[in-house]
């Protein structure tokens, strides 16, 4: 329960994508007498799970990705731990940002989603948060930094979701407009490991329990989720066809708090 990452040592499998690999997986599951499979992962894993279901294997999906980009669940396993890792990094970076009066651009993961950047940015007190769901306005970001300087603010932390196109590029744009000393930190894979937070442990426990319950009932092709603190289940295809939207209120809050 205290270990991070994929302790089953499962990872993206190119072989499973091929017809031979897929057929071998079916054969192996039948050979081992597997009566039900709990698939822990994201979009790609669930597409595979759905295919297994079509081929007579009972499957239940448990959403686990730091990106929190899966619809029909408020949270995915790993997201909270990643957010806390980022907040911890921001706290450390702020020390140099303040002493050296620099602008720090912190690039975080999330693939095409800005969920990690938004939550960690608010919790870490970032001055600006750039996410792919909303257009980035470098003039506005730069003006905000300069206004802060006039008021005596020594540091600026800008969170950049990887989906925006790279903190290096953003850094150039900000430097060009402000003339200030900028530094880029790409947090990378440290966000994908480490001991899970209590929140993630609770979530995984509740998801796991529900997955087993559904399989015991003989159900299949379901994805577990948590909506408004209730554990729910939806058909995998239905869940994947929905949109995971960023809460606009939360995005607005980020701008209000970081004047
Ligand atoms: O989906 C999780 C994730 O960590 C993304 O945030 C990131 O874009 C990607 O995986 C990194 O993948 P890889 O480890 O293959 O570079």
């Amino acid at each position: 329960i205290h270990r991070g990452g994929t302790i089953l040592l499962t990872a993206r499998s190119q072989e499973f994508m091929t017809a031979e690999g897929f057929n071998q997986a079916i054969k192996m599951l039948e050979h081992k007498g597997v009566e039900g499979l709990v698939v822990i992962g994201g979009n790609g894993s669930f597409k595979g799970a759905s295919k297994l279901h079509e081929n007579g294997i009972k499957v239940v999906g448990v959403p686990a990705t730091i990106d929190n980009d899966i619809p029909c669940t408020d949270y995915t396993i790993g997201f909270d731990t990643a957010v806390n890792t980022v907040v911890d990094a921001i706290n450390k970076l702020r020390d140099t940002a303040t002493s050296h009066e620099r602008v720090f651009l912190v690039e975080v993961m999330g693939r095409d989603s800005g969920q990690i950047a938004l939550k960690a940015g608010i919790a870490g007190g970032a001055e600006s948060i750039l996410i792919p769901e909303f257009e980035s306005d470098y003039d506005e970001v730069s003006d905000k930094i300069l206004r802060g300087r006039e008021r005596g603010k020594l540091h600026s932390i800008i969170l950049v979701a990887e989906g925006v196109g790279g903190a290096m590029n953003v850094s150039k744009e900000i430097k060009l407009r402000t003339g200030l000393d900028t530094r880029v930190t790409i947090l990378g894979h440290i966000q994908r490991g480490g001991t899970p937070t209590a929140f993630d442990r609770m979530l995984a426990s509740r998801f796991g329990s529900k997955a087993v319950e559904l399989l015991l009932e003989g159900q299949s092709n379901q994805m577990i989720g948590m909506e408004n603190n209730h554990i729910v289940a939806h058909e995998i295809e239905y869940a994947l066809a929905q949109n995971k939207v960023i809460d606009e209120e939360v995005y607005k809050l980020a701008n209000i708090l970081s004047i």
Side-chain angles (χ1 to χ4, degrees):
I1 198 165
H2 61 285
R3 288 168 65 192
T6 306
I7 61 165
L8 295 172
L9 307 184
T10 51
R12 294 173 193 130
S13 162
Q14 294 301 327
E15 209 184 333
F16 186 75
M17 308 276 188
T18 65
E20 300 87 71
F22 181 76
N23 290 334
Q24 201 195 336
I26 301 261
K27 266 194 219 131
M28 192 58 86
L29 288 166
E30 283 166 357
H31 173 69
K32 297 275 181 193
V34 174
E35 293 171 332
L37 190 68
V38 179
V39 176
I40 308 167
N43 282 301
S45 308
F46 294 156
K47 280 186 192 131
S50 212
K51 246 179 113 189
L52 287 173
H53 163 80
E54 285 164 19
N55 283 268
I57 308 283
K58 286 204 177 342
V59 291
V60 171
V62 166
T65 160
I66 60 166
D67 303 340
N68 198 26
D69 59 350
I70 312 278
C72 292
T73 186
D74 296 339
Y75 295 103
T76 54
I77 300 168
F79 172 67
D80 187 67
T81 303
V83 166
N84 278 285
T85 300
V86 176
V87 171
D88 186 47
I90 296 174
N91 291 340
K92 289 177 175 141
L93 290 170
R94 185 172 282 109
D95 291 345
T96 311
T98 308
S99 63
H100 290 53
E101 299 187 25
R102 281 175 181 159
V103 178
F104 264 84
L105 294 109
V106 184
E107 183 180 310
V108 299
M109 280 187 167
R111 215 176 279 273
D112 301 322
S113 159
Q115 299 263 357
I116 297 179
L118 184 58
K119 196 161 182 189
I122 293 176
E127 273 61 43
S128 291
I129 303 170
L130 305 180
I131 57 175
E133 289 84 350
F134 294 93
E135 215 180 312
S136 303
D137 185 338
Y138 299 129
D139 290 333
E140 198 183 302
V141 173
S142 303
D143 284 351
K144 194 189 251 185
I145 295 170
L146 293 174
R147 282 201 306 272
R149 296 273 152 161
E150 278 167 22
R151 293 200 319 274
K153 205 170 198 177
L154 299 177
H155 63 264
S156 293
I157 307 264
I158 318 290
L159 266 225
V160 184
E162 64 172 332
V164 165
M168 285 291 186
N169 295 329
V170 179
S171 164
K172 281 183 203 139
E173 299 290 339
I174 303 296
K175 202 180 173 119
L176 198 74
R177 287 167 173 79
T178 62
L180 293 169
D181 202 11
T182 58
R183 288 291 184 280
V184 173
T185 301
I186 298 172
L187 292 180
H189 289 77
I190 65 160
Q191 295 160 96
R192 284 172 51 132
T195 189
T197 58
F199 180 90
D200 267 336
R201 296 178 195 204
M202 272 301 294
L203 190 68
S205 303
R206 293 178 76 189
F207 279 178
S209 163
K210 184 72 176 179
V212 172
E213 194 183 300
L214 292 187
L215 286 174
L216 287 175
E217 283 171 8
Q219 296 205 45
S220 180
N221 205 27
Q222 297 286 307
M223 189 201 92
I224 314 284
M226 186 171 84
E227 289 173 340
N228 302 321
N229 206 26
H230 290 290
I231 302 300
V232 294
H234 296 283
E235 205 166 84
I236 291 180
E237 285 78 21
Y238 169 82
L240 295 187
Q242 308 308 304
N243 274 332
K244 176 97 174 190
V245 283
I246 283 271
D247 188 338
E248 219 167 308
E249 290 295 311
V250 178
Y251 184 69
K252 278 189 198 149
L253 177 69
N255 287 321
I256 292 168
L257 292 176
S258 61
I259 48 163

